[in-house]
Amino acid sequence: MTTYTTPLIIQRADPFIYKHTDGYYYFIASVPSYNLIELRRSKTIEGLAFAMPRTIWRKHPSGTGAQSELIWAPEIHFIKGKWYVYYAASHTTEFDENGLFQHRMFCLECASKDPMENEENWIEKGQILTPLDSFALDATSLQVNGKLYYIWAQKDPEIRGNSNIYISEMTNPWTLKTEPVLLSKPEYDWETKIFWVNEGPAVLHRNGKFFLTYSASATDENYCMGMLVANENSNLLDPNSWSKSSRPVFESDIDNGLFGPGHNSFTFSEDGQTDLMVYHIRNYTDILGDPLYDPNRHTVVQSFTYDKKGYPKFDKPQKFTFQ
């Protein structure tokens, strides 16, 4: 079993690791100040902990409108020869009439071969518009058989809760092509602790299936992960193609003091033989105020296996090597 230092990177929430064809792992995540997007890379997973971050984009000045506050959950993707970063940003730290932050989703593009070469190489492509003008965040993308899909979390005023998971095909990396399809909404008790939340989707394609993990409930010790499954040859835009687990697939390990694992992504080991899950987690529950403003959500990289059905087995969060 492949193991890495735990936690790998401290105070980095919503972590995303992508291994490119140039042999580098690229790491991107929310920074505690929520005011910029930084990127780091290394030839090894362990090396990411020591790699020098490069800022590739900074929030707009406060009070100037969209993208001026609370920059959350960036992901980096390589699509048709260019680099793209999806992220969520707000124009204010105030809540809307539903008691939610006022985030919308945005996209950056970089045509340079080296995405870390120059901050000026990153160009704003603007907001990714959906039919609902509501709280939206945590976008990821999926390329399958020449089609590009966009998967994200968004509030629907007609559905109870903070956010649901949606999918749409894209015309290009910043424009939806089809109407959003609802894949999952908070409904089980473990998805509705304090807040009714489905967010942070991530897709794993293995064993003839697509596994779509997501995070649920409040971002404290109640945070956990659920999973949807679809056959690889099914219509991914048909909600009936997806089946949903009635139980969380990854959750807090109270006995070992590991709390609120979630907002994950997937990558693989240096030798390509082991699948890895990347997620954030805390090692205490005594949080003052809103847990979103507590910086100590740390990045963990953990290997996992599969059961006899070919489904991923995530087991328990990996124990910390420091207290």
Side-chain angles (χ1 to χ4, degrees):
M1 187 71 71
T2 303
T3 59
Y4 299 95
T5 300
T6 304
L8 183 72
I9 302 173
I10 64 170
Q11 296 191 341
R12 288 297 182 270
D14 314 321
F16 186 88
I17 295 178
Y18 163 67
K19 189 172 187 182
H20 191 45
T21 53
D22 62 3
Y24 281 102
Y25 289 97
Y26 288 84
F27 175 85
I28 197 167
S30 297
V31 301
S33 55
Y34 300 138
N35 64 346
L36 54 81
I37 297 174
E38 66 177 23
L39 187 62
R40 65 179 78 182
R41 68 182 173 193
S42 172
K43 292 284 189 177
T44 66
I45 295 284
E46 286 283 345
L48 290 171
F50 310 101
M52 182 66 67
R54 170 68 63 86
T55 297
I56 62 170
W57 182 85
R58 303 169 194 270
K59 77 178 186 69
H60 296 188
S62 297
T64 60
Q67 307 188 68
S68 61
E69 302 291 345
L70 300 175
I71 311 306
W72 289 356
E75 287 195 8
I76 186 166
H77 296 267
F78 192 75
I79 303 169
K80 295 183 178 180
K82 295 181 181 180
W83 297 94
Y84 293 91
V85 166
Y86 296 120
Y87 61 101
S90 180
H91 66 279
T92 177
T93 58
E94 301 298 320
F95 299 124
D96 64 14
E97 65 275 10
N98 296 306
L100 298 174
F101 287 109
Q102 300 189 45
H103 285 72
R104 301 296 187 269
M105 301 176 295
F106 299 88
C107 178
L108 301 173
E109 179 188 73
C110 176
S112 174
K113 181 179 180 180
D114 181 358
M116 300 182 65
E117 183 179 35
N118 195 320
E119 184 176 339
E120 284 68 37
N121 289 343
W122 286 93
I123 300 170
E124 293 182 10
K125 303 302 289 187
Q127 182 180 341
I128 296 182
L129 299 173
T130 71
L132 289 173
D133 183 23
S134 62
F135 176 69
L137 72 170
D138 292 354
T140 192
S141 71
L142 174 64
Q143 300 177 72
V144 183
N145 298 326
K147 294 183 177 181
L148 178 64
Y149 296 93
Y150 190 70
I151 307 171
W152 74 100
Q154 187 164 13
K155 165 69 178 178
D156 182 340
E158 302 300 318
I159 297 176
R160 182 178 179 180
N162 294 51
S163 57
N164 315 305
I165 303 295
Y166 296 89
I167 187 172
S168 174
E169 190 180 343
M170 305 192 85
T171 300
N172 57 46
W174 60 92
T175 309
L176 300 189
K177 179 179 181 180
T178 61
E179 287 293 312
V181 173
L182 173 66
L183 294 184
S184 179
K185 63 182 180 181
E187 53 191 319
Y188 297 114
D189 60 349
W190 52 272
E191 298 177 294
T192 58
K193 297 279 184 68
I194 303 180
F195 296 115
W196 292 48
V197 169
N198 280 185
E199 65 181 16
V203 182
L204 176 69
H205 185 196
R206 293 288 187 274
N207 304 325
K209 297 183 183 298
F210 288 102
F211 302 98
L212 193 162
T213 58
Y214 63 92
S215 298
S217 289
T219 59
D220 56 12
E221 66 269 22
N222 293 300
Y223 210 50
C224 61
M225 284 168 44
M227 188 170 72
L228 306 172
V229 182
N231 290 324
E232 64 181 359
N233 296 321
S234 62
N235 178 7
L236 300 183
L237 297 179
D238 181 354
N240 294 319
S241 296
W242 298 88
S243 60
K244 179 176 177 176
S245 172
S246 62
R247 299 296 307 157
V249 295
F250 199 57
E251 56 190 327
S252 294
D253 183 354
I254 306 300
D255 293 340
N256 287 308
L258 300 168
F259 306 103
H263 202 118
N264 76 292
S265 59
F266 295 105
T267 188
F268 49 88
S269 61
E270 288 83 351
D271 62 8
Q273 300 302 305
T274 304
D275 282 325
L276 305 173
M277 180 169 65
V278 186
Y279 61 94
H280 71 234
I281 197 168
R282 306 178 194 272
N283 64 338
Y284 59 84
T285 59
D286 188 14
I287 300 170
L288 297 177
D290 190 328
L292 281 170
Y293 293 102
D294 181 287
N296 293 310
R297 291 184 289 173
H298 306 307
T299 294
V300 174
V301 178
Q302 181 171 327
S303 59
F304 61 92
T305 58
Y306 294 86
D307 64 17
K308 293 179 179 179
K309 292 172 54 180
Y311 283 43
K313 292 172 53 180
F314 300 124
D315 297 322
K316 292 184 177 182
Q318 199 159 281
K319 294 180 182 179
F320 277 23
T321 53
F322 77 86
Q323 299 296 321

